[in-house]
Short mmCIF file of all heavy atoms in Angstrom, two decimals:
data_model
loop_
_atom_site.label_atom_id
_atom_site.label_comp_id
_atom_site.label_asym_id
_atom_site.label_seq_id
_atom_site.Cartn_x
_atom_site.Cartn_y
_atom_site.Cartn_z
N ASP A 1 -97.06 120.73 60.18
CA ASP A 1 -96.50 121.50 61.28
C ASP A 1 -95.20 120.86 61.78
O ASP A 1 -95.19 120.16 62.82
CB ASP A 1 -97.54 121.59 62.40
CG ASP A 1 -97.07 122.48 63.54
OD1 ASP A 1 -96.18 123.32 63.29
OD2 ASP A 1 -97.61 122.35 64.67
N HIS A 2 -94.13 121.06 61.03
CA HIS A 2 -92.83 120.52 61.38
C HIS A 2 -91.78 121.36 60.65
O HIS A 2 -92.03 121.84 59.54
CB HIS A 2 -92.72 119.05 60.98
CG HIS A 2 -91.55 118.33 61.59
ND1 HIS A 2 -91.49 117.99 62.92
CD2 HIS A 2 -90.37 117.93 61.05
CE1 HIS A 2 -90.34 117.40 63.18
NE2 HIS A 2 -89.65 117.34 62.07
N PRO A 3 -90.58 121.54 61.22
CA PRO A 3 -89.59 122.43 60.58
C PRO A 3 -88.97 121.90 59.29
O PRO A 3 -88.53 122.71 58.48
CB PRO A 3 -88.51 122.58 61.66
CG PRO A 3 -89.14 122.14 62.93
CD PRO A 3 -90.16 121.13 62.57
N LEU A 4 -88.92 120.58 59.10
CA LEU A 4 -88.29 120.03 57.91
C LEU A 4 -89.14 118.85 57.42
O LEU A 4 -89.26 117.84 58.13
CB LEU A 4 -86.86 119.58 58.22
CG LEU A 4 -86.02 119.05 57.06
CD1 LEU A 4 -85.82 120.15 56.00
CD2 LEU A 4 -84.67 118.53 57.56
N VAL A 5 -89.71 119.01 56.25
CA VAL A 5 -90.68 118.01 55.76
C VAL A 5 -90.32 117.62 54.33
O VAL A 5 -90.09 118.48 53.46
CB VAL A 5 -92.13 118.56 55.80
CG1 VAL A 5 -93.12 117.52 55.34
CG2 VAL A 5 -92.48 119.09 57.19
N PHE A 6 -90.29 116.31 54.08
CA PHE A 6 -90.10 115.77 52.74
C PHE A 6 -91.28 114.89 52.36
O PHE A 6 -91.72 114.07 53.17
CB PHE A 6 -88.85 114.88 52.69
CG PHE A 6 -87.54 115.54 52.92
CD1 PHE A 6 -87.02 115.67 54.20
CD2 PHE A 6 -86.79 116.05 51.84
CE1 PHE A 6 -85.80 116.28 54.43
CE2 PHE A 6 -85.58 116.63 52.07
CZ PHE A 6 -85.07 116.78 53.36
N PRO A 7 -91.78 114.98 51.11
CA PRO A 7 -92.68 113.96 50.63
C PRO A 7 -91.84 112.74 50.25
O PRO A 7 -90.68 112.87 49.84
CB PRO A 7 -93.33 114.58 49.41
CG PRO A 7 -92.33 115.55 48.91
CD PRO A 7 -91.57 116.03 50.11
N SER A 8 -92.40 111.56 50.41
CA SER A 8 -91.65 110.33 50.13
C SER A 8 -92.52 109.34 49.40
O SER A 8 -93.69 109.14 49.73
CB SER A 8 -91.19 109.73 51.47
OG SER A 8 -90.55 108.49 51.29
N CYS A 9 -91.94 108.71 48.36
CA CYS A 9 -92.64 107.70 47.58
C CYS A 9 -91.78 106.45 47.54
O CYS A 9 -90.67 106.47 46.99
CB CYS A 9 -92.92 108.20 46.17
SG CYS A 9 -93.84 107.08 45.13
N HIS A 10 -92.27 105.38 48.15
CA HIS A 10 -91.53 104.11 48.22
C HIS A 10 -90.10 104.33 48.73
O HIS A 10 -89.13 103.86 48.14
CB HIS A 10 -91.53 103.45 46.83
CG HIS A 10 -92.88 103.13 46.30
ND1 HIS A 10 -93.71 102.23 46.89
CD2 HIS A 10 -93.58 103.66 45.26
CE1 HIS A 10 -94.86 102.18 46.24
NE2 HIS A 10 -94.81 103.02 45.23
N TYR A 11 -90.01 105.06 49.81
CA TYR A 11 -88.75 105.31 50.54
C TYR A 11 -87.78 106.18 49.77
O TYR A 11 -86.61 106.29 50.13
CB TYR A 11 -88.08 103.98 50.94
CG TYR A 11 -88.95 103.13 51.82
CD1 TYR A 11 -89.64 102.04 51.29
CD2 TYR A 11 -89.10 103.42 53.18
CE1 TYR A 11 -90.46 101.26 52.09
CE2 TYR A 11 -89.92 102.65 53.98
CZ TYR A 11 -90.59 101.57 53.44
OH TYR A 11 -91.42 100.81 54.25
N HIS A 12 -88.24 106.85 48.73
CA HIS A 12 -87.43 107.83 48.00
C HIS A 12 -88.00 109.22 48.30
O HIS A 12 -89.17 109.49 48.00
CB HIS A 12 -87.43 107.56 46.49
CG HIS A 12 -86.79 106.29 46.11
ND1 HIS A 12 -85.43 106.12 46.11
CD2 HIS A 12 -87.33 105.09 45.72
CE1 HIS A 12 -85.14 104.89 45.71
NE2 HIS A 12 -86.28 104.24 45.49
N ARG A 13 -87.18 110.09 48.87
CA ARG A 13 -87.71 111.40 49.20
C ARG A 13 -87.67 112.31 47.96
O ARG A 13 -86.77 112.23 47.14
CB ARG A 13 -86.95 112.04 50.36
CG ARG A 13 -85.52 112.42 50.11
CD ARG A 13 -84.88 112.85 51.44
NE ARG A 13 -83.62 113.52 51.23
CZ ARG A 13 -82.83 113.91 52.22
NH1 ARG A 13 -83.19 113.69 53.48
NH2 ARG A 13 -81.70 114.54 51.99
N GLY A 14 -88.71 113.12 47.85
CA GLY A 14 -88.87 113.94 46.67
C GLY A 14 -89.04 115.42 46.99
O GLY A 14 -88.55 115.93 48.01
N HIS A 15 -89.76 116.11 46.12
CA HIS A 15 -89.98 117.55 46.25
C HIS A 15 -91.47 117.85 46.20
O HIS A 15 -92.23 117.04 45.63
CB HIS A 15 -89.29 118.29 45.11
CG HIS A 15 -87.79 118.34 45.26
ND1 HIS A 15 -86.99 117.29 44.90
CD2 HIS A 15 -86.97 119.31 45.73
CE1 HIS A 15 -85.71 117.61 45.14
NE2 HIS A 15 -85.69 118.81 45.65
N PRO A 16 -91.87 118.97 46.82
CA PRO A 16 -91.07 120.03 47.41
C PRO A 16 -90.68 119.69 48.85
O PRO A 16 -91.29 118.87 49.49
CB PRO A 16 -92.02 121.25 47.39
CG PRO A 16 -93.37 120.63 47.60
CD PRO A 16 -93.31 119.32 46.84
N VAL A 17 -89.66 120.38 49.33
CA VAL A 17 -89.20 120.25 50.72
C VAL A 17 -89.68 121.49 51.48
O VAL A 17 -89.56 122.59 50.99
CB VAL A 17 -87.66 120.16 50.79
CG1 VAL A 17 -87.22 119.95 52.25
CG2 VAL A 17 -87.14 119.07 49.88
N LYS A 18 -90.21 121.27 52.67
CA LYS A 18 -90.55 122.39 53.54
C LYS A 18 -89.40 122.66 54.51
O LYS A 18 -88.91 121.73 55.15
CB LYS A 18 -91.83 122.13 54.33
CG LYS A 18 -92.23 123.30 55.21
CD LYS A 18 -93.49 123.02 56.01
CE LYS A 18 -93.84 124.23 56.90
NZ LYS A 18 -95.05 124.00 57.70
N ILE A 19 -88.98 123.91 54.59
CA ILE A 19 -87.87 124.29 55.43
C ILE A 19 -88.31 125.47 56.30
O ILE A 19 -88.72 126.53 55.77
CB ILE A 19 -86.65 124.74 54.59
CG1 ILE A 19 -86.24 123.65 53.59
CG2 ILE A 19 -85.47 125.13 55.47
CD1 ILE A 19 -85.32 124.15 52.50
N ALA A 20 -88.26 125.30 57.60
CA ALA A 20 -88.58 126.42 58.48
C ALA A 20 -87.58 127.56 58.24
O ALA A 20 -86.37 127.30 58.15
CB ALA A 20 -88.54 125.99 59.95
N PRO A 21 -88.05 128.80 58.11
CA PRO A 21 -87.11 129.91 57.84
C PRO A 21 -85.98 130.02 58.84
O PRO A 21 -84.88 130.43 58.48
CB PRO A 21 -88.04 131.14 57.87
CG PRO A 21 -89.37 130.62 57.48
CD PRO A 21 -89.45 129.25 58.08
N ASP A 22 -86.21 129.63 60.11
CA ASP A 22 -85.14 129.75 61.08
C ASP A 22 -84.05 128.70 60.92
O ASP A 22 -83.03 128.73 61.62
CB ASP A 22 -85.69 129.77 62.52
CG ASP A 22 -86.46 128.52 62.89
OD1 ASP A 22 -86.48 127.56 62.08
OD2 ASP A 22 -87.07 128.49 63.97
N LEU A 23 -84.23 127.77 59.97
CA LEU A 23 -83.19 126.79 59.65
C LEU A 23 -82.21 127.33 58.58
O LEU A 23 -81.15 126.74 58.37
CB LEU A 23 -83.77 125.48 59.15
CG LEU A 23 -84.61 124.66 60.13
CD1 LEU A 23 -85.17 123.42 59.45
CD2 LEU A 23 -83.79 124.27 61.36
N LEU A 24 -82.58 128.42 57.93
CA LEU A 24 -81.77 128.93 56.83
C LEU A 24 -80.35 129.31 57.22
O LEU A 24 -79.42 129.02 56.48
CB LEU A 24 -82.49 130.10 56.15
CG LEU A 24 -83.77 129.74 55.38
CD1 LEU A 24 -84.38 131.00 54.73
CD2 LEU A 24 -83.50 128.68 54.32
N PRO A 25 -80.14 129.97 58.37
CA PRO A 25 -78.73 130.31 58.73
C PRO A 25 -77.83 129.07 58.79
O PRO A 25 -76.68 129.12 58.33
CB PRO A 25 -78.89 130.98 60.07
CG PRO A 25 -80.24 131.58 60.06
CD PRO A 25 -81.08 130.60 59.31
N ALA A 26 -78.35 127.98 59.33
CA ALA A 26 -77.54 126.75 59.42
C ALA A 26 -77.28 126.18 58.04
O ALA A 26 -76.16 125.70 57.73
CB ALA A 26 -78.27 125.72 60.30
N LEU A 27 -78.27 126.21 57.16
CA LEU A 27 -78.07 125.71 55.77
C LEU A 27 -77.06 126.57 55.01
O LEU A 27 -76.24 126.08 54.26
CB LEU A 27 -79.42 125.67 55.05
CG LEU A 27 -80.43 124.65 55.54
CD1 LEU A 27 -81.74 124.80 54.78
CD2 LEU A 27 -79.90 123.21 55.36
N LEU A 28 -77.13 127.88 55.24
CA LEU A 28 -76.25 128.80 54.52
C LEU A 28 -74.81 128.72 55.00
O LEU A 28 -73.88 129.00 54.24
CB LEU A 28 -76.77 130.23 54.67
CG LEU A 28 -78.02 130.58 53.88
CD1 LEU A 28 -78.63 131.90 54.34
CD2 LEU A 28 -77.74 130.61 52.38
N SER A 29 -74.62 128.31 56.25
CA SER A 29 -73.26 128.28 56.80
C SER A 29 -72.61 126.90 56.62
O SER A 29 -71.43 126.76 56.92
CB SER A 29 -73.29 128.64 58.29
OG SER A 29 -74.05 127.70 59.02
N TYR A 30 -73.34 125.92 56.11
CA TYR A 30 -72.79 124.57 55.97
C TYR A 30 -71.68 124.56 54.90
O TYR A 30 -71.84 125.11 53.80
CB TYR A 30 -73.89 123.60 55.54
CG TYR A 30 -73.43 122.19 55.29
CD1 TYR A 30 -73.08 121.37 56.35
CD2 TYR A 30 -73.32 121.70 54.00
CE1 TYR A 30 -72.64 120.07 56.12
CE2 TYR A 30 -72.91 120.40 53.76
CZ TYR A 30 -72.54 119.59 54.82
OH TYR A 30 -72.14 118.31 54.60
N THR A 31 -70.56 123.94 55.22
CA THR A 31 -69.42 123.89 54.30
C THR A 31 -68.91 122.46 54.08
O THR A 31 -67.84 122.25 53.56
CB THR A 31 -68.26 124.75 54.80
OG1 THR A 31 -67.89 124.31 56.13
CG2 THR A 31 -68.64 126.23 54.86
N GLY A 32 -69.70 121.49 54.54
CA GLY A 32 -69.28 120.09 54.41
C GLY A 32 -69.53 119.50 53.05
O GLY A 32 -69.75 120.20 52.05
N GLU A 33 -69.52 118.18 52.99
CA GLU A 33 -69.65 117.46 51.74
C GLU A 33 -71.11 117.17 51.39
O GLU A 33 -72.00 117.39 52.19
CB GLU A 33 -68.88 116.13 51.83
CG GLU A 33 -67.38 116.30 52.03
CD GLU A 33 -66.65 114.97 52.11
OE1 GLU A 33 -67.31 113.97 52.45
OE2 GLU A 33 -65.46 114.93 51.79
N HIS A 34 -71.30 116.69 50.18
CA HIS A 34 -72.60 116.20 49.68
C HIS A 34 -73.65 117.28 49.50
O HIS A 34 -74.85 117.00 49.51
CB HIS A 34 -73.14 115.06 50.54
CG HIS A 34 -72.16 113.97 50.81
ND1 HIS A 34 -71.60 113.23 49.79
CD2 HIS A 34 -71.61 113.51 51.95
CE1 HIS A 34 -70.74 112.36 50.31
NE2 HIS A 34 -70.72 112.50 51.61
N GLY A 35 -73.22 118.54 49.35
CA GLY A 35 -74.09 119.62 48.96
C GLY A 35 -75.31 119.79 49.84
O GLY A 35 -75.22 119.71 51.06
N LEU A 36 -76.45 119.98 49.21
CA LEU A 36 -77.68 120.29 49.95
C LEU A 36 -78.09 119.10 50.78
O LEU A 36 -78.57 119.27 51.92
CB LEU A 36 -78.78 120.69 49.00
CG LEU A 36 -80.06 121.26 49.61
CD1 LEU A 36 -79.76 122.45 50.49
CD2 LEU A 36 -81.07 121.62 48.53
N ARG A 37 -77.91 117.88 50.29
CA ARG A 37 -78.28 116.71 51.06
C ARG A 37 -77.45 116.65 52.35
O ARG A 37 -77.98 116.33 53.43
CB ARG A 37 -78.09 115.44 50.23
CG ARG A 37 -78.47 114.17 50.95
CD ARG A 37 -78.34 112.95 50.02
NE ARG A 37 -79.40 112.91 49.05
CZ ARG A 37 -80.56 112.29 49.22
NH1 ARG A 37 -80.81 111.68 50.38
NH2 ARG A 37 -81.48 112.27 48.28
N GLY A 38 -76.17 116.95 52.22
CA GLY A 38 -75.32 117.00 53.39
C GLY A 38 -75.74 118.10 54.36
O GLY A 38 -75.68 117.92 55.60
N ALA A 39 -76.15 119.24 53.80
CA ALA A 39 -76.59 120.36 54.64
C ALA A 39 -77.84 119.98 55.44
O ALA A 39 -77.95 120.27 56.65
CB ALA A 39 -76.85 121.58 53.79
#
């Protein structure tokens, strides 16, 4: 029960990622660097 969730193994975050649907507009509008990680 959290809007953004990553599984992590030995401090390395992995997949799958949980993304609350209401975060999608912000992810879609991001134009900065470092791709999805930056978003």
Side-chain angles (χ1 to χ4, degrees):
D1 186 20
H2 194 74
L4 184 62
V5 183
F6 295 89
S8 175
C9 182
H10 301 294
Y11 301 102
H12 294 285
R13 68 187 193 185
H15 286 82
V17 183
K18 181 181 180 181
I19 305 165
D22 59 8
L23 295 178
L24 292 181
L27 291 176
L28 288 167
S29 63
Y30 177 74
T31 57
E33 297 180 337
H34 309 301
L36 190 56
R37 182 176 285 270

